[in-house]
Amino acid sequence: DAGVTQSPTHLIKTRGQQVTLRCSPKSGHDTVSWYQQALGQGPQFIFQYYEEEERQRGNFPDRFSGHQFPNYSSELNVNALLLGDSALYLCASSFPGTNEKLFFGSGTQLSVL
Amino acid sequence: QQQVKQSPQSLIVQKGGISIINCAYENTAFDYFPWYQQFPGKGPALLIAIRPDVSEKKEGRFTISFNKSAKQFSLHIMDSQPGDSATYFCAASRSKAAGNKLTFGGGTRVLVKP
């Protein structure tokens, strides 16, 4: 049983560009959350998707947007990249009915030059 | 605003010793407090979690102590092993809130010396 899978594992972009990160949840999970983890810091909640809708959003600008597909997979899009967007982006999924026990993927390391 | 404060930032412990990590929270609406373990190049993995209706929870060598009045909770790693060397994060959430986002502490890097 595959866990949470994310792609790509690493990505290098330049300022002003746009990026799309992808996530496939663990089998049987229907809720997907995205977190940003800067170097040496704890993950910061970006947003959560359930039933293809954004259910809650953290303190991130509108440059960060997302989508959830009918098969529960999800994308995170970041527009107009800034140097400060360089971080590890983590996707987490959880079982239906509970979003407490989160399973995290290994993340996408984004570097903005 | 950092709602969950974690200390220390790092600690070194000898094999067989006890590692203790502390966290304090501000939001009294939090009612779910997990601890995550993260190895380099990997995402965080749930280690153990507690709710405010109990003061202590133990799973193997890992124990959470919870003090609701002080708004503090801690992780104890007993008989620490080199394989426990990792970064540990405490977190908190409101389990009945839509979205149930986790608010993480800043992390503690633990090094267990053989």
Side-chain angles (χ1 to χ4, degrees):
Chain A
D1 177 26
V4 179
T5 58
Q6 293 186 242
S7 64
T9 55
H10 295 83
L11 203 53
I12 299 176
K13 292 286 188 178
T14 57
R15 283 179 299 174
Q17 286 189 313
Q18 178 266 343
V19 68
T20 297
L21 311 181
R22 295 176 176 81
C23 170
S24 292
K26 184 176 171 66
S27 178
H29 289 187
D30 64 353
T31 303
V32 174
S33 302
W34 287 92
Y35 287 79
Q36 179 195 66
Q37 186 176 22
L39 187 64
Q41 298 183 22
Q44 297 286 319
F45 177 81
I46 302 175
F47 42 53
Q48 184 181 80
Y49 278 85
Y50 172 69
E51 294 186 339
E52 302 179 49
E53 292 189 358
E54 184 182 291
R55 186 155 67 165
Q56 190 174 5
R57 188 180 184 91
N59 189 25
F60 280 81
D62 292 344
R63 298 187 297 109
F64 289 77
S65 62
H67 189 77
Q68 185 178 35
F69 300 93
N71 66 353
Y72 308 122
S73 66
S74 178
E75 288 183 348
L76 165 65
N77 300 291
V78 187
N79 294 322
L81 285 167
L82 304 174
L83 296 179
D85 294 332
S86 294
L88 179 68
Y89 288 85
L90 295 163
C91 172
S93 70
S94 57
F95 284 110
T98 175
N99 44 26
E100 295 172 350
K101 191 173 183 178
L102 297 187
F103 288 78
F104 282 85
S106 293
T108 294
Q109 183 65 54
L110 173 65
S111 298
V112 182
L113 305 179
Chain B
Q1 179 187 6
Q2 184 182 4
Q3 296 191 44
V4 180
K5 296 184 179 180
Q6 184 172 345
S7 63
Q9 288 186 309
S10 63
L11 68 92
I12 300 173
V13 62
Q14 292 295 128
K15 179 182 176 182
I18 302 173
S19 303
I20 302 174
I21 306 170
N22 301 298
C23 282
Y25 63 97
E26 300 170 3
N27 189 344
T28 55
F30 287 150
D31 61 359
Y32 176 70
F33 303 89
W35 285 88
Y36 281 81
Q37 179 189 56
Q38 185 176 29
F39 293 104
K42 299 293 185 182
L46 180 64
L47 201 57
I48 186 173
I50 197 169
R51 294 191 177 279
D53 53 346
V54 297
S55 60
E56 185 174 284
K57 183 175 181 179
K58 182 177 181 180
E59 289 185 2
R61 296 184 294 107
F62 301 91
T63 299
I64 299 178
S65 297
F66 187 83
N67 186 329
K68 187 175 181 179
S69 61
K71 294 188 287 185
Q72 295 176 348
F73 58 110
S74 61
L75 176 70
H76 291 61
I77 307 174
M78 314 300 286
D79 187 25
S80 296
Q81 300 297 311
D84 296 332
S85 297
T87 300
Y88 293 82
F89 294 95
C90 62
S93 71
R94 297 169 55 198
S95 61
K96 290 182 172 59
N100 187 34
K101 69 175 184 179
L102 282 175
T103 299
F104 283 86
T108 297
R109 181 174 290 184
V110 174
L111 176 62
V112 181
K113 288 195 169 182

